[in-house]
Amino acid sequence: ETGVTQTPRHLVMGMTNKKSLKCEQHLGHNAMYWYKQSAKKPLELMFVYSLEERVENNSVPSRFSPECPNSSHLFLHLHTLQPEDSALYLCASSPEPGHRNTGELFFGEGSRLTVL
Amino acid sequence: AQTVTQSQPEMSVQEAETVTLSCTYDTSENNYYLFWYKQPPSRQMILVIRQEAYKQQNATENRFSVNFQKAAKSFSLKISDSQLGDTAMYFCAFMKPNKLKGAQKLVFGQGTRLTINP
């Protein structure tokens, strides 16, 4: 299997549930990202991990909790979400910045989250 | 902070026509990268084309080309001989190199939904 894989592809949860989104990359990249995609809004960068260290946290509510146990896996733990959190959550990865790498991100297909 | 604006929420053209998607951005940086990403209905976003700000020559990739106007902070995407498979959301994005330790920080626009009609 190659590329960036996200599971589940669809998730429906109540506001009191606890669930997790999973992302796995098979590209040997060192950085991984969570983006939130809502209709008619720019993609919102949520979290960035580089070599398993969180290097960016864009004022995301604490009901979203990321975890990066190794450079190939990234999780987004969800608890007590609100209906406005319903969106497509995209995971991405990128290789080490350098001469041959000019910023391309490699995306998964996303997890469609619906909060009831 | 950098911002990226795509003023066309939706566009629709006939197959084989040429279409241009607009993008403007705001930055005080001199060295940066610009990108166009495509997100087909299957939702996996892929890179279409990139432009380094220090290069005056506009980037081209087969039927895709950009018109990069640095002074105007404009970065439009032209799709020639459009095909049904070009139907997708298109996102313009900005990146300042080395912004994050070992990672890339891209700022995206709102997207333009492009439909190619048969």
Side-chain angles (χ1 to χ4, degrees):
Chain A
E1 192 173 349
T2 59
V4 180
T5 305
Q6 290 186 242
T7 54
R9 295 287 302 277
H10 300 272
L11 177 63
V12 179
M13 59 187 290
M15 290 191 286
T16 59
N17 291 158
K18 288 184 179 181
K19 298 287 184 182
S20 296
L21 306 180
K22 178 183 176 181
C23 177
E24 185 173 0
Q25 59 98 359
H26 306 274
L27 300 169
H29 292 166
N30 68 290
M32 297 187 75
Y33 311 74
W34 280 117
Y35 279 88
K36 177 182 179 182
Q37 183 179 2
S38 305
K40 300 181 181 179
K41 293 177 66 176
L43 268 70
E44 300 172 56
L45 179 62
M46 300 175 72
F47 301 105
V48 183
Y49 279 82
S50 176
L51 296 172
E52 300 133 52
E53 174 188 351
R54 192 187 308 179
V55 296
E56 183 86 353
N57 179 347
N58 277 347
S59 302
V60 179
S62 59
R63 56 186 184 269
F64 295 91
S65 174
E67 179 189 1
C68 188
N70 55 63
S71 60
S72 298
H73 293 86
L74 183 65
F75 295 89
L76 189 61
H77 304 299
L78 317 168
H79 65 98
T80 60
L81 294 191
Q82 305 298 312
E84 59 265 28
D85 297 322
S86 298
L88 182 67
Y89 288 85
L90 293 172
C91 175
S93 68
S94 67
E96 179 78 28
H99 177 68
R100 294 174 64 94
N101 169 32
T102 52
E104 182 176 359
L105 297 184
F106 294 77
F107 286 86
E109 294 187 350
S111 294
R112 172 70 63 187
L113 173 65
T114 302
V115 182
L116 302 176
Chain B
Q2 288 82 15
T3 58
V4 178
T5 302
Q6 294 178 247
S7 59
Q8 305 151 310
E10 295 186 22
M11 296 187 72
S12 178
V13 298
Q14 295 298 119
E15 192 176 7
E17 290 182 347
T18 294
V19 60
T20 299
L21 281 59
S22 301
C23 173
T24 58
Y25 57 95
D26 185 24
T27 184
S28 58
E29 304 291 339
N30 189 52
N31 183 28
Y32 50 86
Y33 293 100
L34 295 164
F35 307 85
W36 279 98
Y37 278 83
K38 169 185 178 181
Q39 187 182 40
S42 64
R43 299 180 300 176
Q44 187 168 33
M45 200 169 325
I46 57 174
L47 178 67
V48 175
I49 198 165
R50 73 164 67 88
Q51 174 81 41
E52 293 94 334
Y54 64 87
K55 290 186 177 180
Q56 292 185 333
Q57 186 174 8
N58 289 323
T60 62
E61 287 287 343
N62 301 311
R63 297 182 296 107
F64 298 86
S65 61
V66 299
N67 183 4
F68 173 49
Q69 301 291 326
K70 190 173 184 179
K73 296 180 183 175
S74 171
F75 183 62
S76 60
L77 174 69
K78 185 172 81 171
I79 305 174
S80 303
D81 186 27
S82 58
Q83 301 175 358
L84 297 179
D86 296 333
T87 293
M89 281 287 289
Y90 286 82
F91 291 93
C92 179
F94 169 100
M95 186 194 78
K96 179 182 182 305
N98 306 316
K99 179 67 174 177
L100 285 179
K101 174 184 171 184
Q104 324 279 6
K105 183 169 184 177
L106 271 70
V107 177
F108 286 85
Q110 307 95 314
T112 296
R113 184 175 302 280
L114 176 65
T115 301
I116 309 299
N117 299 307

